[in-house]
Amino acid sequence: MSGRRVVAVTGASSGGGAALATAFGALGWPVAIGARRSDRLAETAQSVAAAGGTAFAHPLDVTDADSIDAFFDAAGTALGPIGVVVNNAGIGIPGRIHELAVAELEAELATNLLGPMLVTRRALPAMLEMKCGDVVFISSMNAVSPRPFQVGYTAAKAGVEGLAQA
C-alpha cells in the first residue's frame, strides 16, 4: 500500500465524482464517498469495487458542518485517516440573476464555495498531524470564461480559484 492513502470524494453520487472515485479505486486506494443523494452512492461503491477498490459510502451534505463531521468520523473509523480530499460536490442553477430566487443563489454559493471551505477546514488537522495530505479543488472554466445564465455557479467557482490559491 506504499504511496496509497485514503481518499475522500465529495459529490460522488454521479458524474465526475463517481468517475474519480472509481479511478482511485482502480489504483487500489481506499475511497470514502459522500453525497447528498445517498441512494446513488451504492452504485458508485459498486463501480469502485468492480474496478478493484474498496469504497466506504456515507451521506454527506457539504453545506452542513455536522454532516461533514459525521462523514469524516465514519470514514476515518472505516478506512483510516483521510490523506486526500477531492472537493467535487457542486450544483448549477441556470437563470438570469434577477429571476433567480435568493435561496437558489444561496444554494449555489453554499455548495460550490462554502462546501469546499468547510470540507477542507475539517480535513486539514488530520493531514497536518500526519505531515502528509493533498486537497483537490474542482473548479470550472466558468471561473475564467463565464457563460451566460450561470451567475451563482460562476461566482462560486471564481471563489474556489481564490480559495485554492490562498
Side-chain angles (χ1 to χ4, degrees):
M1 291 275 294
S2 178
R4 293 183 179 105
R5 291 173 278 154
V6 177
V7 60
V9 180
T10 70
S13 61
S14 65
L20 286 165
T22 302
F24 276 111
L27 294 172
W29 290 43
V31 185
I33 55 175
R36 285 185 295 189
R37 296 181 300 175
S38 57
D39 57 315
R40 303 220 19 216
L41 287 176
E43 296 170 30
T44 302
Q46 290 172 353
S47 294
V48 170
T54 302
F56 172 76
H58 194 277
L60 173 63
D61 179 349
V62 300
T63 70
D64 180 344
D66 291 337
S67 176
I68 294 166
D69 284 341
F71 174 80
F72 275 88
D73 290 346
T77 298
L79 300 175
I82 305 296
V84 178
V85 170
V86 179
N87 284 296
N88 173 74
I91 62 169
I93 305 171
R96 295 180 176 134
I97 192 166
H98 63 283
E99 294 172 348
L100 290 166
V102 170
E104 291 172 317
L105 294 168
E106 288 173 339
E108 280 190 299
L109 292 173
T111 301
N112 298 329
L113 179 57
L114 185 60
M117 295 172 94
L118 295 176
V119 168
T120 301
R121 179 180 177 274
R122 176 57 169 82
L124 280 179
M127 291 179 182
L128 291 169
E129 186 175 314
M130 294 185 298
K131 296 182 173 39
C132 180
D134 291 291
V135 178
V136 178
F137 297 98
I138 303 297
S139 185
S140 170
M141 285 303 297
N142 274 30
V144 293
S145 182
R147 295 185 187 106
F149 308 110
Q150 296 182 0
V151 290
Y153 182 82
T154 297
K157 291 302 184 176
V160 166
E161 293 285 327
L163 169 61
Q165 290 176 14

